[in-house]
Amino acid sequence: MHDLDFLRTLAVQAAHQAYAPYSKLRVGAALRSAAGHAYTGCNVENASYPVGGCAERAAIAAAVQAEGPGFRLQAIAVAAFGSDGAALPVSPCGACRQSLIEFGADAAVTFRQSDDGWMEVKAGELLPFRFILPSR
Ligand code: THU
């Protein structure tokens, strides 16, 4: 199985762990680190809405926790499902794009499109005018 297909399968599984009683959108993410390991995350919502977190950044947190500050992102898949269980096209939000680029601007990002195919794009392409902390 191609690694992106494997990550897509893991992302689907992770989405089913989501805690999303408010939006009812269950999101899963699965990434491959440059070191060759896979990590997953799901969205975790909260009654105080802004306290909730995205699947992609949960997966990144798991990777950093496991590998430390040397973690580099090689590829990530995102999968989402609605309350009826149907797969939905969801691409990483702006905050997650900034976070993905932090760990790998050249990383492959794959997510479902509206035609049910899978988009494959580099993280850097998702956020061309990303924030870069000026050094002074
Ligand atoms: N969500 C993610 O997990 N990842 C994204 O990139 C976009 C949005 C979650 C957050 C929230 O729990 C739900 O989707 C609806 O916004």
Side-chain angles (χ1 to χ4, degrees):
M1 188 189 272
H2 187 282
D3 195 50
L4 285 187
D5 283 330
F6 178 63
L7 292 178
R8 288 169 186 140
T9 300
L10 288 184
V12 166
Q13 291 172 358
H16 289 97
Q17 301 296 103
Y19 177 71
Y22 305 105
S23 74
K24 314 258 193 259
L25 182 68
R26 292 183 296 158
V27 187
L31 67 80
R32 174 77 64 197
S33 69
H37 303 292
Y39 303 96
T40 61
C42 61
N43 57 331
V44 180
E45 298 186 347
N46 191 277
S48 176
Y49 290 4
V51 175
C54 291
E56 297 91 323
R57 278 175 287 157
I60 287 172
V64 173
Q65 174 64 48
E67 296 190 4
F71 161 67
R72 298 300 297 163
L73 178 67
Q74 189 172 87
I76 184 167
V78 182
F81 298 88
S83 54
D84 62 356
L88 294 172
V90 162
S91 70
C93 77
C96 287
R97 292 174 191 209
Q98 182 78 31
S99 186
L100 296 176
I101 290 166
E102 180 83 16
F103 296 98
D106 290 330
V109 184
T110 183
F111 49 87
R112 213 179 253 109
Q113 296 182 282
S114 47
D115 67 0
D116 219 36
W118 286 82
M119 172 68 107
E120 193 182 323
V121 64
K122 283 187 177 182
E125 293 171 331
L126 284 173
L127 195 62
F129 294 98
R130 64 185 176 273
F131 173 72
I132 298 169
L133 185 64
S135 55
R136 33 168 248 134

Short mmCIF file of all heavy atoms in Angstrom, two decimals, residues 37-83:
data_model
loop_
_atom_site.label_atom_id
_atom_site.label_comp_id
_atom_site.label_asym_id
_atom_site.label_seq_id
_atom_site.Cartn_x
_atom_site.Cartn_y
_atom_site.Cartn_z
N HIS A 37 7.98 7.30 11.61
CA HIS A 37 6.89 6.85 12.48
C HIS A 37 5.58 7.54 12.11
O HIS A 37 5.57 8.63 11.55
CB HIS A 37 7.24 7.13 13.94
CG HIS A 37 8.53 6.49 14.36
ND1 HIS A 37 8.67 5.12 14.48
CD2 HIS A 37 9.73 7.03 14.67
CE1 HIS A 37 9.91 4.84 14.83
NE2 HIS A 37 10.58 5.99 14.96
N ALA A 38 4.47 6.90 12.49
CA ALA A 38 3.14 7.45 12.22
C ALA A 38 2.50 7.91 13.52
O ALA A 38 2.64 7.24 14.57
CB ALA A 38 2.26 6.42 11.53
N TYR A 39 1.82 9.05 13.47
CA TYR A 39 1.10 9.59 14.63
C TYR A 39 -0.27 10.08 14.16
O TYR A 39 -0.40 10.54 13.02
CB TYR A 39 1.87 10.76 15.26
CG TYR A 39 3.27 10.39 15.67
CD1 TYR A 39 4.34 10.65 14.83
CD2 TYR A 39 3.52 9.75 16.89
CE1 TYR A 39 5.64 10.28 15.19
CE2 TYR A 39 4.80 9.39 17.25
CZ TYR A 39 5.87 9.65 16.40
OH TYR A 39 7.14 9.28 16.76
N THR A 40 -1.24 9.98 15.06
CA THR A 40 -2.60 10.39 14.68
C THR A 40 -3.15 11.39 15.69
O THR A 40 -2.65 11.52 16.81
CB THR A 40 -3.54 9.17 14.61
OG1 THR A 40 -3.61 8.56 15.90
CG2 THR A 40 -3.07 8.16 13.58
N GLY A 41 -4.20 12.08 15.26
CA GLY A 41 -4.90 13.00 16.15
C GLY A 41 -6.32 13.17 15.67
O GLY A 41 -6.65 12.86 14.52
N CYS A 42 -7.17 13.63 16.57
CA CYS A 42 -8.56 13.91 16.20
C CYS A 42 -8.95 15.26 16.81
O CYS A 42 -8.26 15.76 17.71
CB CYS A 42 -9.50 12.81 16.70
SG CYS A 42 -9.53 12.61 18.48
N ASN A 43 -10.03 15.83 16.34
CA ASN A 43 -10.48 17.09 16.94
C ASN A 43 -11.14 16.80 18.29
O ASN A 43 -11.79 15.77 18.49
CB ASN A 43 -11.40 17.89 16.01
CG ASN A 43 -12.64 17.15 15.54
OD1 ASN A 43 -12.63 15.93 15.42
ND2 ASN A 43 -13.70 17.88 15.27
N VAL A 44 -10.91 17.72 19.22
CA VAL A 44 -11.44 17.62 20.58
C VAL A 44 -12.11 18.95 20.90
O VAL A 44 -11.44 19.97 21.08
CB VAL A 44 -10.32 17.32 21.60
CG1 VAL A 44 -10.90 17.22 23.01
CG2 VAL A 44 -9.58 16.04 21.24
N GLU A 45 -13.43 18.95 20.92
CA GLU A 45 -14.18 20.19 21.12
C GLU A 45 -14.44 20.45 22.60
O GLU A 45 -14.11 19.63 23.46
CB GLU A 45 -15.48 20.12 20.31
CG GLU A 45 -15.19 20.01 18.82
CD GLU A 45 -16.42 20.07 17.94
OE1 GLU A 45 -17.56 19.96 18.45
OE2 GLU A 45 -16.22 20.26 16.72
N ASN A 46 -15.01 21.63 22.87
CA ASN A 46 -15.29 22.03 24.25
C ASN A 46 -16.54 22.89 24.26
O ASN A 46 -16.80 23.62 23.29
CB ASN A 46 -14.10 22.81 24.81
CG ASN A 46 -14.20 23.01 26.31
OD1 ASN A 46 -14.88 23.92 26.79
ND2 ASN A 46 -13.57 22.16 27.06
N ALA A 47 -17.28 22.85 25.39
CA ALA A 47 -18.47 23.69 25.53
C ALA A 47 -18.13 25.16 25.36
O ALA A 47 -18.94 25.95 24.88
CB ALA A 47 -19.11 23.44 26.90
N SER A 48 -16.92 25.53 25.76
CA SER A 48 -16.41 26.87 25.48
C SER A 48 -15.69 26.76 24.13
O SER A 48 -14.53 26.36 24.07
CB SER A 48 -15.46 27.31 26.59
OG SER A 48 -14.89 28.55 26.26
N TYR A 49 -16.40 27.05 23.06
CA TYR A 49 -15.97 26.66 21.71
C TYR A 49 -14.50 26.89 21.36
O TYR A 49 -13.86 26.00 20.79
CB TYR A 49 -16.86 27.34 20.66
CG TYR A 49 -18.29 26.83 20.60
CD1 TYR A 49 -18.77 25.87 21.50
CD2 TYR A 49 -19.17 27.32 19.64
CE1 TYR A 49 -20.08 25.42 21.45
CE2 TYR A 49 -20.49 26.87 19.57
CZ TYR A 49 -20.94 25.92 20.48
OH TYR A 49 -22.23 25.47 20.41
N PRO A 50 -13.93 28.08 21.66
CA PRO A 50 -12.54 28.31 21.22
C PRO A 50 -11.52 27.40 21.91
O PRO A 50 -10.38 27.32 21.46
CB PRO A 50 -12.28 29.78 21.58
CG PRO A 50 -13.62 30.39 21.81
CD PRO A 50 -14.50 29.28 22.30
N VAL A 51 -11.92 26.75 22.96
CA VAL A 51 -11.00 25.87 23.69
C VAL A 51 -10.73 24.58 22.91
O VAL A 51 -9.72 23.92 23.11
CB VAL A 51 -11.57 25.56 25.10
CG1 VAL A 51 -10.70 24.56 25.84
CG2 VAL A 51 -11.71 26.85 25.90
N GLY A 52 -11.62 24.27 21.98
CA GLY A 52 -11.46 23.04 21.20
C GLY A 52 -10.23 23.10 20.31
O GLY A 52 -9.67 24.16 20.06
N GLY A 53 -9.81 21.93 19.83
CA GLY A 53 -8.61 21.86 19.00
C GLY A 53 -8.80 20.98 17.78
O GLY A 53 -9.66 20.10 17.75
N CYS A 54 -7.98 21.25 16.77
CA CYS A 54 -8.05 20.54 15.49
C CYS A 54 -7.27 19.23 15.51
O CYS A 54 -6.30 19.07 16.25
CB CYS A 54 -7.48 21.42 14.38
SG CYS A 54 -8.48 22.86 13.98
N ALA A 55 -7.68 18.34 14.61
CA ALA A 55 -7.05 17.03 14.48
C ALA A 55 -5.57 17.14 14.08
O ALA A 55 -4.72 16.41 14.61
CB ALA A 55 -7.80 16.21 13.45
N GLU A 56 -5.29 18.02 13.14
CA GLU A 56 -3.92 18.11 12.61
C GLU A 56 -2.94 18.50 13.73
O GLU A 56 -1.84 17.95 13.85
CB GLU A 56 -3.84 19.16 11.50
CG GLU A 56 -4.67 18.82 10.27
CD GLU A 56 -6.08 19.39 10.34
OE1 GLU A 56 -6.68 19.41 11.44
OE2 GLU A 56 -6.59 19.81 9.29
N ARG A 57 -3.32 19.50 14.52
CA ARG A 57 -2.40 19.95 15.57
C ARG A 57 -2.33 18.94 16.71
O ARG A 57 -1.32 18.87 17.41
CB ARG A 57 -2.78 21.35 16.04
CG ARG A 57 -2.21 22.42 15.08
CD ARG A 57 -2.65 23.81 15.43
NE ARG A 57 -4.05 24.01 15.09
CZ ARG A 57 -4.83 24.92 15.63
NH1 ARG A 57 -4.35 25.69 16.60
NH2 ARG A 57 -6.09 25.04 15.25
N ALA A 58 -3.38 18.14 16.89
CA ALA A 58 -3.31 17.05 17.87
C ALA A 58 -2.28 16.01 17.42
O ALA A 58 -1.49 15.50 18.23
CB ALA A 58 -4.68 16.42 18.05
N ALA A 59 -2.26 15.72 16.12
CA ALA A 59 -1.29 14.74 15.59
C ALA A 59 0.13 15.29 15.71
O ALA A 59 1.06 14.55 16.07
CB ALA A 59 -1.62 14.41 14.14
N ILE A 60 0.29 16.57 15.43
CA ILE A 60 1.62 17.19 15.55
C ILE A 60 2.07 17.16 17.02
O ILE A 60 3.23 16.86 17.32
CB ILE A 60 1.59 18.63 15.00
CG1 ILE A 60 1.51 18.59 13.47
CG2 ILE A 60 2.82 19.42 15.46
CD1 ILE A 60 1.29 19.94 12.82
N ALA A 61 1.17 17.45 17.93
CA ALA A 61 1.53 17.41 19.36
C ALA A 61 1.97 16.01 19.77
O ALA A 61 2.94 15.85 20.52
CB ALA A 61 0.35 17.88 20.20
N ALA A 62 1.28 15.00 19.26
CA ALA A 62 1.66 13.61 19.58
C ALA A 62 3.05 13.30 19.04
O ALA A 62 3.85 12.62 19.70
CB ALA A 62 0.63 12.64 18.99
N ALA A 63 3.34 13.80 17.83
CA ALA A 63 4.64 13.54 17.21
C ALA A 63 5.77 14.22 17.98
O ALA A 63 6.82 13.62 18.23
CB ALA A 63 4.63 14.01 15.76
N VAL A 64 5.53 15.47 18.38
CA VAL A 64 6.57 16.20 19.13
C VAL A 64 6.76 15.55 20.50
O VAL A 64 7.89 15.40 20.99
CB VAL A 64 6.21 17.70 19.25
CG1 VAL A 64 7.20 18.41 20.16
CG2 VAL A 64 6.21 18.36 17.87
N GLN A 65 5.65 15.14 21.10
CA GLN A 65 5.76 14.47 22.40
C GLN A 65 6.62 13.21 22.29
O GLN A 65 7.44 12.92 23.16
CB GLN A 65 4.35 14.10 22.90
CG GLN A 65 4.33 13.27 24.16
CD GLN A 65 4.91 14.03 25.36
OE1 GLN A 65 4.56 15.17 25.60
NE2 GLN A 65 5.79 13.40 26.10
N ALA A 66 6.46 12.48 21.19
CA ALA A 66 7.19 11.22 21.02
C ALA A 66 8.63 11.42 20.56
O ALA A 66 9.53 10.71 21.00
CB ALA A 66 6.45 10.33 20.02
N GLU A 67 8.84 12.38 19.67
CA GLU A 67 10.16 12.50 19.02
C GLU A 67 10.96 13.70 19.51
O GLU A 67 12.15 13.82 19.19
CB GLU A 67 10.00 12.57 17.50
CG GLU A 67 9.41 11.28 16.92
CD GLU A 67 9.48 11.22 15.39
OE1 GLU A 67 10.05 12.14 14.77
OE2 GLU A 67 8.95 10.24 14.85
N GLY A 68 10.30 14.63 20.19
CA GLY A 68 11.01 15.81 20.67
C GLY A 68 11.10 16.89 19.62
O GLY A 68 10.50 16.79 18.54
N PRO A 69 11.88 17.94 19.90
CA PRO A 69 11.91 19.11 19.03
C PRO A 69 12.53 18.85 17.66
O PRO A 69 12.43 19.69 16.76
CB PRO A 69 12.74 20.12 19.83
CG PRO A 69 13.54 19.30 20.78
CD PRO A 69 12.70 18.10 21.11
N GLY A 70 13.16 17.69 17.49
CA GLY A 70 13.73 17.36 16.18
C GLY A 70 12.71 16.81 15.20
O GLY A 70 13.04 16.52 14.05
N PHE A 71 11.46 16.68 15.64
CA PHE A 71 10.41 16.14 14.75
C PHE A 71 10.31 16.94 13.46
O PHE A 71 10.27 18.17 13.49
CB PHE A 71 9.05 16.16 15.47
CG PHE A 71 7.88 16.07 14.53
CD1 PHE A 71 7.64 14.92 13.80
CD2 PHE A 71 7.03 17.16 14.36
CE1 PHE A 71 6.56 14.84 12.91
CE2 PHE A 71 5.94 17.10 13.48
CZ PHE A 71 5.72 15.93 12.76
N ARG A 72 10.28 16.22 12.34
CA ARG A 72 10.03 16.85 11.03
C ARG A 72 8.89 16.11 10.35
O ARG A 72 8.80 14.87 10.43
CB ARG A 72 11.27 16.82 10.14
CG ARG A 72 12.48 17.57 10.69
CD ARG A 72 12.23 19.05 10.92
NE ARG A 72 11.93 19.77 9.68
CZ ARG A 72 11.37 20.99 9.66
NH1 ARG A 72 11.04 21.60 10.78
NH2 ARG A 72 11.15 21.58 8.51
N LEU A 73 8.05 16.86 9.70
CA LEU A 73 6.85 16.30 9.05
C LEU A 73 7.16 15.91 7.61
O LEU A 73 7.66 16.72 6.83
CB LEU A 73 5.75 17.36 9.06
CG LEU A 73 4.43 16.99 8.39
CD1 LEU A 73 3.72 15.88 9.15
CD2 LEU A 73 3.53 18.23 8.27
N GLN A 74 6.84 14.66 7.28
CA GLN A 74 7.04 14.19 5.91
C GLN A 74 5.73 14.18 5.12
O GLN A 74 5.70 14.58 3.96
CB GLN A 74 7.62 12.78 5.95
CG GLN A 74 8.08 12.24 4.62
CD GLN A 74 8.82 10.93 4.84
OE1 GLN A 74 8.22 9.85 4.89
NE2 GLN A 74 10.12 11.02 5.01
N ALA A 75 4.65 13.75 5.76
CA ALA A 75 3.35 13.66 5.07
C ALA A 75 2.23 13.61 6.10
O ALA A 75 2.43 13.12 7.22
CB ALA A 75 3.29 12.41 4.19
N ILE A 76 1.05 14.13 5.70
CA ILE A 76 -0.10 14.08 6.60
C ILE A 76 -1.37 13.92 5.78
O ILE A 76 -1.51 14.52 4.70
CB ILE A 76 -0.17 15.33 7.51
CG1 ILE A 76 -1.32 15.22 8.52
CG2 ILE A 76 -0.25 16.61 6.70
CD1 ILE A 76 -1.26 16.24 9.65
N ALA A 77 -2.28 13.10 6.29
CA ALA A 77 -3.59 12.90 5.68
C ALA A 77 -4.66 13.38 6.65
O ALA A 77 -4.53 13.22 7.86
CB ALA A 77 -3.81 11.42 5.36
N VAL A 78 -5.70 13.99 6.09
CA VAL A 78 -6.82 14.50 6.90
C VAL A 78 -8.11 13.89 6.35
O VAL A 78 -8.32 13.87 5.13
CB VAL A 78 -6.90 16.04 6.84
CG1 VAL A 78 -8.04 16.56 7.71
CG2 VAL A 78 -5.57 16.67 7.26
N ALA A 79 -8.95 13.40 7.27
CA ALA A 79 -10.23 12.82 6.85
C ALA A 79 -11.32 13.34 7.77
O ALA A 79 -11.10 13.56 8.96
CB ALA A 79 -10.18 11.29 6.93
N ALA A 80 -12.51 13.58 7.22
CA ALA A 80 -13.60 14.14 8.03
C ALA A 80 -14.92 13.48 7.68
O ALA A 80 -15.15 13.06 6.53
CB ALA A 80 -13.69 15.65 7.82
N PHE A 81 -15.79 13.42 8.68
CA PHE A 81 -17.09 12.77 8.53
C PHE A 81 -18.17 13.60 9.21
O PHE A 81 -17.96 14.14 10.30
CB PHE A 81 -17.05 11.36 9.15
CG PHE A 81 -16.05 10.48 8.48
CD1 PHE A 81 -14.73 10.46 8.90
CD2 PHE A 81 -16.41 9.69 7.40
CE1 PHE A 81 -13.78 9.68 8.26
CE2 PHE A 81 -15.47 8.89 6.74
CZ PHE A 81 -14.16 8.89 7.18
N GLY A 82 -19.32 13.67 8.57
CA GLY A 82 -20.46 14.38 9.13
C GLY A 82 -21.25 13.51 10.09
O GLY A 82 -20.91 12.34 10.31
N SER A 83 -22.29 14.10 10.64
CA SER A 83 -23.08 13.38 11.66
C SER A 83 -23.76 12.14 11.10
O SER A 83 -24.06 11.20 11.84
CB SER A 83 -24.11 14.32 12.27
OG SER A 83 -24.89 14.90 11.26
#
